Amino acid sequence: MTNPADEVGYGSIWLDRTGQAEAFDAIGDRYDEAFPHKEGQVASAAWLVGSLPPGARVLDLGCGTGLPTSRQLAEAGFQVVGVDLSERMVAIAHKYVPTGVFHQADIADLRPGGPRDLGRFDAVTAFFSLLMLPRAEIPLALRTIHHLLLPDGLFALSMVEADVDDFSIPFIGSTIRVSGYLREELREVVEEAGFEIVEESSYSYAPASADVPPEVQIFLRCRRSA
């Protein structure tokens, strides 16, 4: 019998999250102070609000503090489930979005046959959460998201445009490792995972924190196509 985890290719891959959750535990509420302008996230969540039926079930992957996305979706009347690797972020999200359900978990935990089964969703958001993974894992995470979505489910994704893989950067007094793609390669990776890209936008962004460099943020609005 085939191991269900092999459906998305995890197999026996080693998952290295060393220091990632700890960095966000340490940042806590300062994350929203360092990244105060989130127009791209708000616009993509508004696309979901305008596209989904009342009461839709939405998963916010890498929900952080719950602001703005989980709260925006909850205020629209959706059933919001949030997942984050950071225990501190999950605790803050519970406070800011009391109607949401939040779990401390890794996206790899949600894969077919993985230790966490949260059911299926009408939509998934992953705003700047997949960039915390090494490149070898990002296609696996996308296939996991595909698995979590109902047929024709919607997927809102954002990444920072950068040709880097598991690259260490200073981040609000801590260090994290990030990965990214140039725009065309990102599109290819997303489409190969079984998504149709419906809309695309980008923003030039300069975080308020002095130790975080300016960046170009890419937002893709997608539909599960296979």
Side-chain angles (χ1 to χ4, degrees):
M1 180 179 294
T2 301
N3 183 340
D6 292 336
E7 294 178 18
V8 295
Y10 277 93
S12 59
I13 190 171
W14 181 50
L15 306 178
D16 180 11
R17 304 290 187 259
T18 306
Q20 301 288 73
E22 290 82 357
F24 284 87
D25 286 341
I27 291 162
D29 287 310
R30 290 184 294 144
Y31 179 83
D32 291 317
E33 297 172 5
F35 294 88
H37 305 294
K38 300 178 181 176
E39 291 89 348
Q41 278 183 242
V42 171
S44 287
W47 172 70
L48 292 178
V49 170
S51 303
L52 294 170
R57 193 163 185 260
V58 184
L59 175 64
D60 188 7
L61 278 173
C63 61
T65 65
L67 301 180
T69 301
S70 288
R71 176 184 281 179
Q72 184 179 356
L73 297 170
E75 289 178 346
F78 297 150
Q79 303 174 56
V80 175
V81 178
V83 169
D84 202 281
L85 197 61
S86 164
E87 181 180 11
R88 176 64 176 146
M89 289 293 182
V90 168
I92 296 171
H94 274 294
K95 179 179 69 174
Y96 286 154
V97 192
T99 61
V101 177
F102 297 94
H103 304 274
Q104 183 187 6
D106 191 302
I107 184 172
D109 296 339
L110 309 183
R111 69 189 185 273
R116 302 295 291 268
D117 184 357
L118 301 181
R120 300 294 176 268
F121 296 87
D122 298 288
V124 174
T125 66
F127 294 132
F128 307 110
S129 49
L130 300 191
L131 61 79
M132 301 294 294
L133 305 175
R135 274 193 181 183
E137 278 190 58
I138 292 175
L140 309 182
L142 289 168
R143 291 187 211 123
T144 294
I145 292 167
H146 187 279
H147 161 75
L148 291 168
L149 281 168
L150 292 166
D152 295 321
L154 302 180
F155 174 39
L157 166 72
S158 65
M159 293 281 285
V160 173
E161 184 173 25
D163 187 13
V164 296
D165 182 14
D166 209 30
F167 182 71
S168 294
I169 62 168
F171 189 73
I172 320 178
S174 297
T175 299
I176 60 172
R177 302 187 313 280
V178 299
S179 299
Y181 300 98
L182 299 181
R183 188 180 307 255
E184 286 306 313
E185 189 175 4
L186 175 62
R187 291 177 62 91
E188 290 175 8
V189 170
V190 170
E191 290 172 342
E192 286 173 1
F195 294 99
E196 173 195 359
I197 299 172
V198 178
E199 296 179 16
E200 177 182 336
S201 59
S202 62
Y203 295 79
S204 296
Y205 190 86
S209 174
D211 73 344
V212 180
E215 58 195 32
V216 174
Q217 301 176 345
I218 302 172
F219 288 82
L220 301 181
R221 300 168 187 174
C222 311
R223 185 181 305 276
R224 186 185 192 268
S225 61

